[in-house]
Amino acid sequence: MSELEELITEWLPLPDVAERLDVSIKKVHSLIDEGAVIAVRIGERNIRSIPAAFIVEDQILDSLKGTIAVLGDSGFSDEAILRWLFTADETLPGRPIDALLEGRKTEIRRRAQALAW
């Protein structure tokens, strides 16, 4: 099991993402290309998947795209972005993804921007 699989316990393969969002698989690929979500290959079968936490009430978490953009602009790889989002930070407290789910995107984006310096 990879480090990401240990950090993120629930994953959705891309066809499942399409089903949950009620869109085509082509649209899911577009969301990945646009940086709205991050997909990585996981598991024994090396299937491209996204963390289930990225989908809330059958929609992509609203604050996710901007946060991914800030971290990507700071030089983070997709795997590093996922690691940062899902690693507990005692100063929050909790994980950055949990703060985003709670609607605290301003705080998380400030922290993400500080990582660039």
Side-chain angles (χ1 to χ4, degrees):
M1 182 177 288
S2 73
E3 177 190 358
L4 283 179
E5 290 175 273
E6 290 178 18
L7 272 178
I8 307 165
T9 56
E10 191 176 352
W11 294 87
L12 295 171
L14 299 189
D16 292 359
V17 173
E19 187 177 316
R20 290 264 309 261
L21 298 176
D22 195 25
V23 297
S24 69
I25 193 73
K26 186 175 179 177
K27 176 62 177 172
V28 174
H29 287 280
S30 292
L31 291 168
I32 294 165
D33 292 341
E34 296 165 7
V37 295
I38 295 173
V40 294
R41 296 191 177 278
I42 58 150
E44 290 179 16
R45 294 178 44 211
N46 207 27
I47 297 173
R48 224 167 149 205
S49 302
I50 72 164
F54 285 178
I55 299 179
V56 178
E57 296 179 13
D58 300 331
Q59 293 184 3
I60 299 295
L61 177 61
D62 198 31
S63 56
L64 189 60
K65 184 175 182 176
T67 305
I68 289 171
V70 169
L71 291 165
D73 290 348
S74 298
F76 279 56
S77 66
D78 286 351
E79 291 81 7
I81 291 171
L82 291 175
R83 197 173 305 111
W84 185 80
L85 285 170
F86 286 89
T87 299
D89 181 340
E90 58 191 45
T91 64
L92 274 175
R95 306 174 304 172
I97 189 68
D98 297 326
L100 289 176
L101 290 165
E102 293 166 3
R104 297 170 25 213
K105 78 175 182 182
T106 304
E107 176 182 4
I108 296 308
R109 293 225 182 121
R110 264 196 309 263
R111 288 171 182 255
Q113 287 171 335
L115 295 172
W117 301 105

